[in-house]
Amino acid sequence: MKTRHYLSALMLLAVTGAYAQNPAISAIYTPDPAPYVHDDKVYLFVDHDEDDALYFKMKDWIVFESSDMVNWTYLGAQVSTATFPWAKQGDRAWAAQAIERNGKWYWYLCCNTADGKDALAVAVADKPTGPWVDAIGGPLAVGFGFIDPTIFIDDDGKPYLFWGNKGFWYGELNDDMISFKNGYKEVSGYTDPKSFGELQSKMDWSIGRERMMTQYEEGPWVTKRGDIYYAVYPAGGVPEYMAYSTAPTIHGPWTFGGRIMDEAENSFTIHGGNIHFRGHDYMFYHNGALPNGDGFRRSTAIEEFKFNDDGSIPFIPFTKEGVKPLGTISPYNVVQAETMSSSWGIKLDRLPGEKHYVTSVHNGDWIKVRNVDFGTKSPALLSLEILNCKSEGVIEFYADRLGGTPFATANVGRDSSVVSAAVAKAPTGIHDVYVFFRGGDTELFDLDWWKLE
């Protein structure tokens, strides 16, 4: 059993390739990515498909952060349906987006009311790690197809919320960010093929039959670049592809721009949005490409792209390689174990708050951290913190690839907490680091952080 798990890990590494970056997060399923740039970091707000989902089984919303676009640090399961006592509990934690304004963070989410109606909710916090609370004490809006909210603040400071499945609505928010200034209405041109693509027959569950509808399906993402407003959205029915429309004002008129991404791998939905970060433009989306992934177990992926000279968005092909790193990680500062570019086998805790760790560690599991800068002098000592030790084991650190001789090996006993180990044959310069776990057939321990000295 131990040998089989170890070989499976090596096979996965061979299949995905040394520098495969898509999906961008592999320790947990992360559909409907909503990236947000703040203070020279990208915060990634996502939903969470359960490992055993056979339909949409979603209980909470999760946050990650990154400074380099390839190593993502888990910041916890900060909001769940339990945050909203009026909502249906334990399910329907669907697509969401968050934003900061005037020192407060607002997370716009969709869930169901207790009696099963689609509803928009708002959580508020002082920082992404919470604590998040229900900002209203009830839904912001209720209606059929009221899902997938996207928040946008215009250059004049006016905030707008867009949303909708089989319908497309928007409204200007008040300065409090939790109420509408003048109510909400349907987006101009929603039923016009010139605005949102050629008409086709789609099932409209609000009337219980098919009707002619535009290409727009759900999951809008609204941004502005220069003088152009953009709405990116899943389109075309099921399976969905990604399309976009543009407008000269936030109120329209909208003009259909066409397909910009094909149907996602192993997923009948696609959902995401674009950001500009450190001079680069990125499109986030989800697919079902992880092991055991499918249309109900989806994962965030990222592609870099460049706008055309006329401001149009080009067609963006899918890649396994994903995006390139924009920086390095120092191993001489504490590296949180939940900071990684990819992984095999391990899981992340399901906790709110600020303290998080890697859990469900078994023999043959591993973590990969990209672009670790060892500098010009070799480190001499490895330190790491163990939590909740269940069984003794070994943690091996490798440079660039699994296999061969590790540059450090730490032995973990049942009473271990902070463990130190000598470093042998340590590399210099920039390398990827693999943290590999060995042990018996049962769960080993949790890992909080590691550091070189």
Side-chain angles (χ1 to χ4, degrees):
M1 181 176 178
K2 290 183 287 185
T3 301
R4 192 160 58 245
H5 197 174
Y6 173 73
L7 291 176
S8 296
L10 292 180
M11 288 173 64
L12 176 67
L13 189 64
V15 169
T16 57
Y19 293 101
Q21 194 62 43
N22 278 329
I25 296 166
S26 49
I28 194 167
Y29 294 115
T30 53
D32 303 326
Y36 179 63
V37 177
H38 182 75
D39 285 347
D40 205 32
K41 289 183 179 180
V42 178
Y43 290 91
L44 180 60
F45 296 83
V46 296
D47 322 334
H48 175 210
D49 289 334
E50 296 291 336
D51 290 355
D52 60 351
L54 299 177
Y55 185 63
F56 295 113
K57 186 179 181 181
M58 306 161 76
K59 303 176 181 179
D60 48 21
W61 293 272
I62 292 172
V63 191
F64 294 82
E65 70 173 15
S66 178
S67 297
D68 61 14
M69 290 299 297
V70 296
N71 294 299
W72 292 90
T73 300
Y74 174 67
L75 299 182
Q78 295 295 344
V79 178
S80 71
T81 54
T83 305
F84 309 102
W86 51 267
K88 179 182 178 181
Q89 297 300 300
D91 199 6
R92 290 281 300 208
W94 288 9
Q97 186 181 348
I99 198 169
E100 185 273 343
R101 191 177 199 196
N102 298 327
K104 291 285 187 180
W105 288 75
Y106 299 89
W107 203 343
Y108 299 88
L109 315 104
C110 60
C111 51
N112 271 184
T113 60
D115 58 356
K117 295 183 177 67
D118 296 333
L120 305 180
V122 189
V124 65
D126 292 331
K127 51 188 176 180
T129 51
W132 293 85
V133 298
D134 185 352
I136 303 174
L140 174 62
V142 178
F144 183 85
F146 279 30
I147 67 171
D148 300 354
T150 181
I151 179 68
F152 169 75
I153 299 178
D154 209 344
D155 296 338
D156 59 7
K158 294 179 179 179
Y160 295 88
L161 195 71
F162 290 73
W163 70 92
N165 169 282
K166 300 294 194 302
F168 197 8
W169 299 272
Y170 82 116
E172 181 184 343
L173 297 175
N174 288 307
D175 289 339
D176 63 9
M177 300 293 285
I178 59 172
S179 61
F180 289 106
K181 187 173 184 178
N182 296 302
Y184 52 84
K185 59 184 177 180
E186 190 172 80
V187 170
S188 174
Y190 166 66
T191 59
D192 185 349
K194 293 181 180 179
S195 296
F196 293 99
E198 65 184 56
L199 294 169
Q200 63 179 5
S201 181
K202 299 182 187 179
M203 184 64 186
D204 184 347
W205 296 106
S206 64
I207 59 176
R209 61 177 175 81
E210 288 191 347
R211 67 183 177 98
M212 299 303 291
M213 301 170 69
T214 56
Q215 294 292 295
Y216 172 90
E217 182 72 15
E218 59 183 355
W221 183 269
V222 177
T223 58
K224 185 182 182 183
R225 180 177 181 269
D227 296 327
I228 303 174
Y229 292 82
Y230 296 81
V232 171
Y233 45 86
V238 176
E240 300 170 341
Y241 64 87
M242 196 83 89
Y244 81 109
S245 299
T246 60
T249 77
I250 192 66
H251 306 290
W254 294 93
T255 300
F256 186 60
R259 177 190 292 246
I260 55 173
M261 277 185 159
D262 281 336
E263 294 79 3
E265 178 184 354
N266 201 30
S267 172
F268 57 88
T269 61
I270 189 171
H271 184 121
N274 58 295
I275 58 169
H276 184 77
F277 181 59
R278 295 187 182 176
H280 300 259
D281 288 292
Y282 299 99
M283 185 66 72
F284 287 66
Y285 62 101
H286 69 227
N287 61 29
L290 276 186
N292 203 40
D294 62 14
F296 303 117
R297 295 183 292 273
R298 300 155 294 173
S299 303
T300 292
I302 313 168
E303 309 292 353
E304 185 174 356
F305 73 99
K306 292 183 179 180
F307 283 88
N308 294 319
D309 291 342
D310 62 359
S312 59
I313 301 177
F315 180 79
I316 305 169
F318 301 135
T319 70
K320 292 293 186 183
E321 294 77 18
V323 301
K324 296 179 181 179
L326 298 182
T328 60
I329 284 183
S330 172
Y332 305 109
N333 299 323
V334 168
V335 180
Q336 296 297 329
E338 62 274 15
T339 297
M340 63 191 77
S341 66
S342 59
S343 63
W344 170 261
I346 59 93
K347 295 295 179 185
L348 304 169
D349 67 65
R350 296 285 291 274
L351 301 174
E354 298 191 3
K355 184 175 179 61
H356 301 286
Y357 51 85
V358 164
T359 189
S360 190
V361 176
H362 293 79
N363 178 65
D365 291 352
W366 52 261
I367 295 167
K368 178 183 177 182
V369 184
R370 286 191 65 182
N371 261 36
V372 177
D373 190 353
F374 290 85
T376 58
K377 294 183 179 180
S378 298
L381 186 70
L382 165 71
S383 298
L384 48 83
E385 184 172 6
I386 301 298
L387 303 174
N388 307 317
C389 188
K390 303 170 185 65
S391 180
E392 62 185 23
V394 176
I395 306 177
E396 299 172 341
F397 284 69
Y398 294 86
D400 296 323
R401 66 183 183 90
L402 287 174
T405 302
F407 66 79
T409 301
N411 294 303
V412 179
R414 285 188 174 273
D415 298 325
S416 293
S417 55
V418 176
V419 177
S420 297
V423 175
K425 297 181 180 179
T428 58
I430 298 174
H431 299 268
D432 295 340
V433 169
Y434 289 88
V435 183
F436 189 82
F437 302 97
R438 293 185 186 272
D441 291 338
T442 59
E443 185 175 352
L444 301 177
F445 39 74
D446 299 335
L447 179 61
D448 191 7
W449 55 263
W450 60 272
K451 178 182 179 182
L452 295 176
E453 301 175 14

